[in-house]
mmCIF file of all heavy atoms in Angstrom:
data_model
loop_
_atom_site.group_PDB
_atom_site.id
_atom_site.type_symbol
_atom_site.label_atom_id
_atom_site.label_comp_id
_atom_site.label_asym_id
_atom_site.label_seq_id
_atom_site.Cartn_x
_atom_site.Cartn_y
_atom_site.Cartn_z
ATOM 1 N N VAL A 1279 -5.675 -35.192 76.174
ATOM 2 C CA VAL A 1279 -5.942 -34.712 74.818
ATOM 3 C C VAL A 1279 -4.623 -34.180 74.279
ATOM 4 O O VAL A 1279 -3.933 -33.414 74.951
ATOM 5 C CB VAL A 1279 -6.972 -33.564 74.803
ATOM 6 C CG1 VAL A 1279 -7.286 -33.146 73.369
ATOM 7 C CG2 VAL A 1279 -8.222 -33.922 75.563
ATOM 8 N N PHE A 1280 -4.271 -34.579 73.066
ATOM 9 C CA PHE A 1280 -3.046 -34.106 72.430
ATOM 10 C C PHE A 1280 -3.396 -33.159 71.293
ATOM 11 O O PHE A 1280 -4.401 -33.346 70.606
ATOM 12 C CB PHE A 1280 -2.222 -35.280 71.907
ATOM 13 C CG PHE A 1280 -1.666 -36.130 73.002
ATOM 14 C CD1 PHE A 1280 -2.402 -37.188 73.513
ATOM 15 C CD2 PHE A 1280 -0.426 -35.856 73.558
ATOM 16 C CE1 PHE A 1280 -1.912 -37.970 74.548
ATOM 17 C CE2 PHE A 1280 0.069 -36.627 74.602
ATOM 18 C CZ PHE A 1280 -0.679 -37.686 75.091
ATOM 19 N N ALA A 1281 -2.553 -32.147 71.119
ATOM 20 C CA ALA A 1281 -2.701 -31.181 70.031
ATOM 21 C C ALA A 1281 -1.433 -31.204 69.200
ATOM 22 O O ALA A 1281 -0.349 -30.925 69.710
ATOM 23 C CB ALA A 1281 -2.936 -29.786 70.590
ATOM 24 N N ASP A 1282 -1.569 -31.570 67.935
ATOM 25 C CA ASP A 1282 -0.450 -31.516 66.990
ATOM 26 C C ASP A 1282 -0.627 -30.280 66.125
ATOM 27 O O ASP A 1282 -1.594 -30.194 65.351
ATOM 28 C CB ASP A 1282 -0.405 -32.768 66.115
ATOM 29 C CG ASP A 1282 0.031 -34.002 66.874
ATOM 30 O OD1 ASP A 1282 0.621 -33.854 67.964
ATOM 31 O OD2 ASP A 1282 -0.217 -35.119 66.392
ATOM 32 N N ALA A 1283 0.270 -29.311 66.281
ATOM 33 C CA ALA A 1283 0.202 -28.053 65.548
ATOM 34 C C ALA A 1283 1.250 -28.059 64.446
ATOM 35 O O ALA A 1283 2.451 -28.168 64.726
ATOM 36 C CB ALA A 1283 0.436 -26.884 66.499
ATOM 37 N N ASP A 1284 0.787 -27.964 63.202
ATOM 38 C CA ASP A 1284 1.665 -27.951 62.034
ATOM 39 C C ASP A 1284 1.601 -26.592 61.361
ATOM 40 O O ASP A 1284 0.509 -26.127 60.991
ATOM 41 C CB ASP A 1284 1.251 -29.028 61.031
ATOM 42 C CG ASP A 1284 1.569 -30.419 61.514
ATOM 43 O OD1 ASP A 1284 2.758 -30.735 61.628
ATOM 44 O OD2 ASP A 1284 0.614 -31.186 61.778
ATOM 45 N N LEU A 1285 2.763 -25.965 61.188
ATOM 46 C CA LEU A 1285 2.814 -24.683 60.487
ATOM 47 C C LEU A 1285 2.529 -24.909 59.003
ATOM 48 O O LEU A 1285 3.227 -25.671 58.334
ATOM 49 C CB LEU A 1285 4.210 -24.072 60.620
ATOM 50 C CG LEU A 1285 4.460 -23.216 61.835
ATOM 51 C CD1 LEU A 1285 5.938 -22.872 61.957
ATOM 52 C CD2 LEU A 1285 3.628 -21.960 61.799
ATOM 53 N N LEU A 1286 1.486 -24.269 58.506
ATOM 54 C CA LEU A 1286 1.193 -24.327 57.078
ATOM 55 C C LEU A 1286 1.874 -23.179 56.353
ATOM 56 O O LEU A 1286 2.312 -23.319 55.218
ATOM 57 C CB LEU A 1286 -0.323 -24.261 56.838
ATOM 58 C CG LEU A 1286 -1.146 -25.381 57.464
ATOM 59 C CD1 LEU A 1286 -2.631 -25.148 57.198
ATOM 60 C CD2 LEU A 1286 -0.701 -26.733 56.942
ATOM 61 N N LYS A 1287 1.944 -22.025 57.031
ATOM 62 C CA LYS A 1287 2.593 -20.840 56.449
ATOM 63 C C LYS A 1287 3.177 -20.013 57.585
ATOM 64 O O LYS A 1287 2.513 -19.781 58.599
ATOM 65 C CB LYS A 1287 1.575 -19.987 55.698
ATOM 66 C CG LYS A 1287 2.187 -18.688 55.174
ATOM 67 C CD LYS A 1287 1.152 -17.722 54.662
ATOM 68 C CE LYS A 1287 1.847 -16.434 54.257
ATOM 69 N NZ LYS A 1287 0.922 -15.338 54.079
ATOM 70 N N LEU A 1288 4.400 -19.593 57.419
ATOM 71 C CA LEU A 1288 5.024 -18.652 58.344
ATOM 72 C C LEU A 1288 5.635 -17.550 57.495
ATOM 73 O O LEU A 1288 6.738 -17.688 56.968
ATOM 74 C CB LEU A 1288 6.090 -19.341 59.203
ATOM 75 C CG LEU A 1288 6.781 -18.454 60.231
ATOM 76 C CD1 LEU A 1288 5.771 -17.869 61.221
ATOM 77 C CD2 LEU A 1288 7.846 -19.242 60.976
ATOM 78 N N GLY A 1289 4.853 -16.488 57.319
ATOM 79 C CA GLY A 1289 5.305 -15.362 56.519
ATOM 80 C C GLY A 1289 5.826 -14.239 57.391
ATOM 81 O O GLY A 1289 5.976 -14.378 58.604
ATOM 82 N N ARG A 1290 6.091 -13.090 56.751
ATOM 83 C CA ARG A 1290 6.571 -11.933 57.503
ATOM 84 C C ARG A 1290 5.477 -11.318 58.354
ATOM 85 O O ARG A 1290 5.741 -10.792 59.428
ATOM 86 C CB ARG A 1290 7.108 -10.871 56.536
ATOM 87 C CG ARG A 1290 8.447 -11.224 55.959
ATOM 88 C CD ARG A 1290 9.079 -10.112 55.123
ATOM 89 N NE ARG A 1290 8.581 -8.787 55.413
ATOM 90 C CZ ARG A 1290 7.972 -8.012 54.515
ATOM 91 N NH1 ARG A 1290 7.775 -8.415 53.294
ATOM 92 N NH2 ARG A 1290 7.557 -6.818 54.848
ATOM 93 N N ARG A 1291 4.240 -11.366 57.880
ATOM 94 C CA ARG A 1291 3.139 -10.695 58.573
ATOM 95 C C ARG A 1291 2.062 -11.642 59.112
ATOM 96 O O ARG A 1291 1.330 -11.268 60.015
ATOM 97 C CB ARG A 1291 2.484 -9.679 57.655
ATOM 98 C CG ARG A 1291 3.435 -8.580 57.265
ATOM 99 C CD ARG A 1291 2.718 -7.545 56.428
ATOM 100 N NE ARG A 1291 3.645 -6.555 55.941
ATOM 101 C CZ ARG A 1291 3.874 -5.402 56.538
ATOM 102 N NH1 ARG A 1291 3.251 -5.111 57.649
ATOM 103 N NH2 ARG A 1291 4.717 -4.544 56.035
ATOM 104 N N THR A 1292 1.950 -12.824 58.523
ATOM 105 C CA THR A 1292 0.909 -13.753 58.964
ATOM 106 C C THR A 1292 1.457 -15.178 59.078
ATOM 107 O O THR A 1292 2.463 -15.516 58.456
ATOM 108 C CB THR A 1292 -0.294 -13.779 57.994
ATOM 109 O OG1 THR A 1292 0.141 -14.269 56.722
ATOM 110 C CG2 THR A 1292 -0.932 -12.409 57.848
ATOM 111 N N ALA A 1293 0.763 -15.951 59.870
ATOM 112 C CA ALA A 1293 1.074 -17.375 60.002
ATOM 113 C C ALA A 1293 -0.243 -18.141 60.033
ATOM 114 O O ALA A 1293 -1.246 -17.655 60.566
ATOM 115 C CB ALA A 1293 1.871 -17.639 61.273
ATOM 116 N N THR A 1294 -0.226 -19.341 59.459
ATOM 117 C CA THR A 1294 -1.395 -20.215 59.466
ATOM 118 C C THR A 1294 -0.962 -21.572 59.976
ATOM 119 O O THR A 1294 0.065 -22.107 59.560
ATOM 120 C CB THR A 1294 -1.999 -20.342 58.055
ATOM 121 O OG1 THR A 1294 -2.289 -19.036 57.556
ATOM 122 C CG2 THR A 1294 -3.265 -21.182 58.072
ATOM 123 N N VAL A 1295 -1.768 -22.121 60.897
ATOM 124 C CA VAL A 1295 -1.421 -23.377 61.566
ATOM 125 C C VAL A 1295 -2.606 -24.335 61.505
ATOM 126 O O VAL A 1295 -3.748 -23.933 61.749
ATOM 127 C CB VAL A 1295 -1.045 -23.120 63.045
ATOM 128 C CG1 VAL A 1295 -0.637 -24.415 63.738
ATOM 129 C CG2 VAL A 1295 0.068 -22.076 63.149
ATOM 130 N N ASP A 1296 -2.317 -25.584 61.182
ATOM 131 C CA ASP A 1296 -3.297 -26.664 61.262
ATOM 132 C C ASP A 1296 -3.093 -27.349 62.609
ATOM 133 O O ASP A 1296 -1.973 -27.757 62.928
ATOM 134 C CB ASP A 1296 -3.076 -27.667 60.123
ATOM 135 C CG ASP A 1296 -3.979 -28.873 60.244
ATOM 136 O OD1 ASP A 1296 -5.210 -28.708 60.152
ATOM 137 O OD2 ASP A 1296 -3.456 -29.989 60.443
ATOM 138 N N VAL A 1297 -4.158 -27.458 63.409
ATOM 139 C CA VAL A 1297 -4.060 -28.102 64.719
ATOM 140 C C VAL A 1297 -5.037 -29.267 64.756
ATOM 141 O O VAL A 1297 -6.234 -29.083 64.513
ATOM 142 C CB VAL A 1297 -4.369 -27.135 65.880
ATOM 143 C CG1 VAL A 1297 -4.187 -27.837 67.222
ATOM 144 C CG2 VAL A 1297 -3.480 -25.896 65.803
ATOM 145 N N ARG A 1298 -4.511 -30.440 65.026
ATOM 146 C CA ARG A 1298 -5.336 -31.644 65.127
ATOM 147 C C ARG A 1298 -5.330 -32.126 66.573
ATOM 148 O O ARG A 1298 -4.263 -32.365 67.138
ATOM 149 C CB ARG A 1298 -4.812 -32.709 64.182
ATOM 150 C CG ARG A 1298 -5.015 -32.264 62.745
ATOM 151 C CD ARG A 1298 -4.275 -33.102 61.733
ATOM 152 N NE ARG A 1298 -4.456 -32.498 60.432
ATOM 153 C CZ ARG A 1298 -5.239 -32.995 59.488
ATOM 154 N NH1 ARG A 1298 -5.875 -34.122 59.681
ATOM 155 N NH2 ARG A 1298 -5.356 -32.382 58.335
ATOM 156 N N LEU A 1299 -6.518 -32.242 67.146
ATOM 157 C CA LEU A 1299 -6.682 -32.681 68.533
ATOM 158 C C LEU A 1299 -7.122 -34.146 68.528
ATOM 159 O O LEU A 1299 -8.036 -34.506 67.785
ATOM 160 C CB LEU A 1299 -7.724 -31.822 69.242
ATOM 161 C CG LEU A 1299 -7.480 -30.312 69.215
ATOM 162 C CD1 LEU A 1299 -8.622 -29.577 69.893
ATOM 163 C CD2 LEU A 1299 -6.165 -29.956 69.856
ATOM 164 N N TRP A 1300 -6.470 -34.945 69.362
ATOM 165 C CA TRP A 1300 -6.762 -36.381 69.357
ATOM 166 C C TRP A 1300 -6.584 -36.984 70.741
ATOM 167 O O TRP A 1300 -5.954 -36.389 71.607
ATOM 168 C CB TRP A 1300 -5.902 -37.101 68.325
ATOM 169 C CG TRP A 1300 -4.423 -36.902 68.492
ATOM 170 C CD1 TRP A 1300 -3.677 -35.856 68.004
ATOM 171 C CD2 TRP A 1300 -3.515 -37.746 69.194
ATOM 172 N NE1 TRP A 1300 -2.357 -36.011 68.363
ATOM 173 C CE2 TRP A 1300 -2.222 -37.166 69.096
ATOM 174 C CE3 TRP A 1300 -3.648 -38.935 69.906
ATOM 175 C CZ2 TRP A 1300 -1.090 -37.734 69.676
ATOM 176 C CZ3 TRP A 1300 -2.523 -39.507 70.484
ATOM 177 C CH2 TRP A 1300 -1.266 -38.901 70.358
ATOM 178 N N GLN A 1301 -7.146 -38.180 70.887
ATOM 179 C CA GLN A 1301 -7.012 -38.955 72.121
ATOM 180 C C GLN A 1301 -6.708 -40.397 71.749
ATOM 181 O O GLN A 1301 -7.349 -40.953 70.857
ATOM 182 C CB GLN A 1301 -8.310 -38.929 72.935
ATOM 183 C CG GLN A 1301 -8.638 -37.581 73.497
ATOM 184 C CD GLN A 1301 -9.903 -37.608 74.327
ATOM 185 O OE1 GLN A 1301 -10.947 -38.026 73.865
ATOM 186 N NE2 GLN A 1301 -9.796 -37.140 75.565
ATOM 187 N N GLY A 1302 -5.732 -40.992 72.427
ATOM 188 C CA GLY A 1302 -5.444 -42.408 72.245
ATOM 189 C C GLY A 1302 -4.677 -42.755 70.985
ATOM 190 O O GLY A 1302 -3.692 -43.464 71.037
ATOM 191 N N ASP A 1303 -5.105 -42.276 69.846
ATOM 192 C CA ASP A 1303 -4.505 -42.599 68.549
ATOM 193 C C ASP A 1303 -4.553 -41.342 67.693
ATOM 194 O O ASP A 1303 -5.629 -40.765 67.500
ATOM 195 C CB ASP A 1303 -5.303 -43.740 67.897
ATOM 196 C CG ASP A 1303 -4.752 -44.183 66.558
ATOM 197 O OD1 ASP A 1303 -4.024 -43.410 65.892
ATOM 198 O OD2 ASP A 1303 -5.059 -45.315 66.162
ATOM 199 N N ASP A 1304 -3.400 -40.916 67.176
ATOM 200 C CA ASP A 1304 -3.363 -39.652 66.432
ATOM 201 C C ASP A 1304 -4.155 -39.690 65.127
ATOM 202 O O ASP A 1304 -4.331 -38.672 64.480
ATOM 203 C CB ASP A 1304 -1.928 -39.189 66.194
ATOM 204 C CG ASP A 1304 -1.123 -40.119 65.306
ATOM 205 O OD1 ASP A 1304 -1.639 -41.149 64.849
ATOM 206 O OD2 ASP A 1304 0.064 -39.801 65.086
ATOM 207 N N ARG A 1305 -4.668 -40.852 64.760
ATOM 208 C CA ARG A 1305 -5.522 -40.934 63.568
ATOM 209 C C ARG A 1305 -7.004 -40.800 63.927
ATOM 210 O O ARG A 1305 -7.845 -40.737 63.048
ATOM 211 C CB ARG A 1305 -5.287 -42.253 62.835
ATOM 212 C CG ARG A 1305 -3.862 -42.344 62.263
ATOM 213 C CD ARG A 1305 -3.560 -43.713 61.809
ATOM 214 N NE ARG A 1305 -3.622 -44.583 63.004
ATOM 215 C CZ ARG A 1305 -3.379 -45.866 62.997
ATOM 216 N NH1 ARG A 1305 -3.059 -46.477 61.893
ATOM 217 N NH2 ARG A 1305 -3.455 -46.575 64.115
ATOM 218 N N ARG A 1306 -7.306 -40.774 65.215
ATOM 219 C CA ARG A 1306 -8.701 -40.660 65.675
ATOM 220 C C ARG A 1306 -8.898 -39.261 66.268
ATOM 221 O O ARG A 1306 -8.813 -39.057 67.475
ATOM 222 C CB ARG A 1306 -9.006 -41.753 66.687
ATOM 223 C CG ARG A 1306 -10.453 -41.863 67.023
ATOM 224 C CD ARG A 1306 -10.778 -43.231 67.626
ATOM 225 N NE ARG A 1306 -12.077 -43.237 68.240
ATOM 226 C CZ ARG A 1306 -13.220 -43.348 67.586
ATOM 227 N NH1 ARG A 1306 -13.210 -43.458 66.275
ATOM 228 N NH2 ARG A 1306 -14.366 -43.357 68.227
ATOM 229 N N LEU A 1307 -9.181 -38.320 65.401
ATOM 230 C CA LEU A 1307 -9.289 -36.925 65.806
ATOM 231 C C LEU A 1307 -10.581 -36.647 66.560
ATOM 232 O O LEU A 1307 -11.637 -37.182 66.214
ATOM 233 C CB LEU A 1307 -9.236 -36.009 64.588
ATOM 234 C CG LEU A 1307 -7.992 -36.104 63.698
ATOM 235 C CD1 LEU A 1307 -8.104 -35.112 62.551
ATOM 236 C CD2 LEU A 1307 -6.730 -35.883 64.489
ATOM 237 N N VAL A 1308 -10.474 -35.792 67.576
ATOM 238 C CA VAL A 1308 -11.674 -35.287 68.245
ATOM 239 C C VAL A 1308 -12.041 -33.914 67.689
ATOM 240 O O VAL A 1308 -13.201 -33.510 67.738
ATOM 241 C CB VAL A 1308 -11.532 -35.247 69.778
ATOM 242 C CG1 VAL A 1308 -11.378 -36.640 70.341
ATOM 243 C CG2 VAL A 1308 -10.408 -34.355 70.228
ATOM 244 N N ALA A 1309 -11.054 -33.190 67.139
ATOM 245 C CA ALA A 1309 -11.316 -31.884 66.539
ATOM 246 C C ALA A 1309 -10.152 -31.511 65.625
ATOM 247 O O ALA A 1309 -9.044 -32.026 65.760
ATOM 248 C CB ALA A 1309 -11.497 -30.816 67.613
ATOM 249 N N GLN A 1310 -10.438 -30.614 64.687
ATOM 250 C CA GLN A 1310 -9.415 -30.072 63.804
ATOM 251 C C GLN A 1310 -9.655 -28.578 63.703
ATOM 252 O O GLN A 1310 -10.793 -28.134 63.536
ATOM 253 C CB GLN A 1310 -9.486 -30.718 62.414
ATOM 254 C CG GLN A 1310 -8.406 -30.269 61.437
ATOM 255 C CD GLN A 1310 -8.714 -28.947 60.757
ATOM 256 O OE1 GLN A 1310 -9.851 -28.621 60.506
ATOM 257 N NE2 GLN A 1310 -7.683 -28.175 60.479
ATOM 258 N N ALA A 1311 -8.578 -27.795 63.842
ATOM 259 C CA ALA A 1311 -8.694 -26.339 63.781
ATOM 260 C C ALA A 1311 -7.678 -25.767 62.806
ATOM 261 O O ALA A 1311 -6.582 -26.295 62.647
ATOM 262 C CB ALA A 1311 -8.480 -25.726 65.171
ATOM 263 N N THR A 1312 -8.069 -24.678 62.174
ATOM 264 C CA THR A 1312 -7.149 -23.868 61.386
ATOM 265 C C THR A 1312 -7.072 -22.523 62.097
ATOM 266 O O THR A 1312 -8.111 -21.899 62.343
ATOM 267 C CB THR A 1312 -7.637 -23.701 59.944
ATOM 268 O OG1 THR A 1312 -7.821 -25.000 59.369
ATOM 269 C CG2 THR A 1312 -6.631 -22.909 59.119
ATOM 270 N N VAL A 1313 -5.848 -22.133 62.460
ATOM 271 C CA VAL A 1313 -5.653 -20.927 63.260
ATOM 272 C C VAL A 1313 -4.745 -19.972 62.500
ATOM 273 O O VAL A 1313 -3.689 -20.368 62.007
ATOM 274 C CB VAL A 1313 -5.031 -21.270 64.635
ATOM 275 C CG1 VAL A 1313 -4.967 -20.026 65.521
ATOM 276 C CG2 VAL A 1313 -5.795 -22.383 65.332
ATOM 277 N N GLY A 1314 -5.169 -18.715 62.395
ATOM 278 C CA GLY A 1314 -4.366 -17.681 61.750
ATOM 279 C C GLY A 1314 -3.911 -16.655 62.766
ATOM 280 O O GLY A 1314 -4.656 -16.302 63.683
ATOM 281 N N TYR A 1315 -2.690 -16.192 62.598
ATOM 282 C CA TYR A 1315 -2.131 -15.163 63.462
ATOM 283 C C TYR A 1315 -1.589 -14.032 62.611
ATOM 284 O O TYR A 1315 -1.015 -14.261 61.546
ATOM 285 C CB TYR A 1315 -0.966 -15.713 64.287
ATOM 286 C CG TYR A 1315 -1.372 -16.222 65.646
ATOM 287 C CD1 TYR A 1315 -1.860 -17.509 65.801
ATOM 288 C CD2 TYR A 1315 -1.291 -15.399 66.762
ATOM 289 C CE1 TYR A 1315 -2.237 -17.970 67.040
ATOM 290 C CE2 TYR A 1315 -1.683 -15.855 68.010
ATOM 291 C CZ TYR A 1315 -2.150 -17.138 68.143
ATOM 292 O OH TYR A 1315 -2.543 -17.584 69.368
ATOM 293 N N VAL A 1316 -1.724 -12.809 63.111
ATOM 294 C CA VAL A 1316 -1.034 -11.654 62.553
ATOM 295 C C VAL A 1316 0.223 -11.504 63.383
ATOM 296 O O VAL A 1316 0.175 -11.449 64.615
ATOM 297 C CB VAL A 1316 -1.904 -10.386 62.630
ATOM 298 C CG1 VAL A 1316 -1.120 -9.181 62.151
ATOM 299 C CG2 VAL A 1316 -3.176 -10.577 61.816
ATOM 300 N N LEU A 1317 1.373 -11.475 62.718
ATOM 301 C CA LEU A 1317 2.662 -11.381 63.410
ATOM 302 C C LEU A 1317 3.017 -9.934 63.687
ATOM 303 O O LEU A 1317 2.590 -9.040 62.961
ATOM 304 C CB LEU A 1317 3.747 -12.051 62.565
ATOM 305 C CG LEU A 1317 3.499 -13.523 62.225
ATOM 306 C CD1 LEU A 1317 4.611 -14.048 61.338
ATOM 307 C CD2 LEU A 1317 3.361 -14.357 63.472
ATOM 308 N N PRO A 1318 3.843 -9.706 64.717
ATOM 309 C CA PRO A 1318 4.239 -8.323 65.020
ATOM 310 C C PRO A 1318 5.004 -7.730 63.843
ATOM 311 O O PRO A 1318 5.758 -8.433 63.162
ATOM 312 C CB PRO A 1318 5.123 -8.454 66.250
ATOM 313 C CG PRO A 1318 5.394 -9.893 66.454
ATOM 314 C CD PRO A 1318 4.454 -10.677 65.584
ATOM 315 N N ASP A 1319 4.803 -6.438 63.620
ATOM 316 C CA ASP A 1319 5.471 -5.737 62.540
ATOM 317 C C ASP A 1319 6.944 -5.582 62.901
ATOM 318 O O ASP A 1319 7.292 -4.981 63.910
ATOM 319 C CB ASP A 1319 4.819 -4.371 62.336
ATOM 320 C CG ASP A 1319 5.348 -3.649 61.105
ATOM 321 O OD1 ASP A 1319 6.248 -4.181 60.435
ATOM 322 O OD2 ASP A 1319 4.852 -2.554 60.831
#
C-alpha cells in the first residue's frame, strides 16, 4: 500500500495534508484522508 502525502497548508501554527492511499496504480485509490496537525509553538 502506498501513501502519497501532499502538503495543502504549512502555516506557523497548523498544517493540513491530503493523503491518498493506493495499490498498483496511483489513480486507483483505496482511501483518501485529510489530516490536520497543530505545530509546536
Side-chain angles (χ1 to χ4, degrees):
V1279 183
F1280 292 88
D1282 289 342
D1284 289 293
L1285 272 171
L1286 300 177
K1287 175 191 176 195
L1288 182 60
R1290 285 187 22 241
R1291 297 184 186 265
T1292 64
T1294 305
V1295 182
D1296 174 64
V1297 183
R1298 293 168 185 253
L1299 305 177
W1300 56 275
Q1301 292 182 305
D1303 181 338
D1304 65 0
R1305 295 168 297 182
R1306 190 160 166 79
L1307 302 181
V1308 295
Q1310 183 278 328
T1312 303
V1313 186
Y1315 267 84
V1316 175
L1317 302 178
D1319 187 358

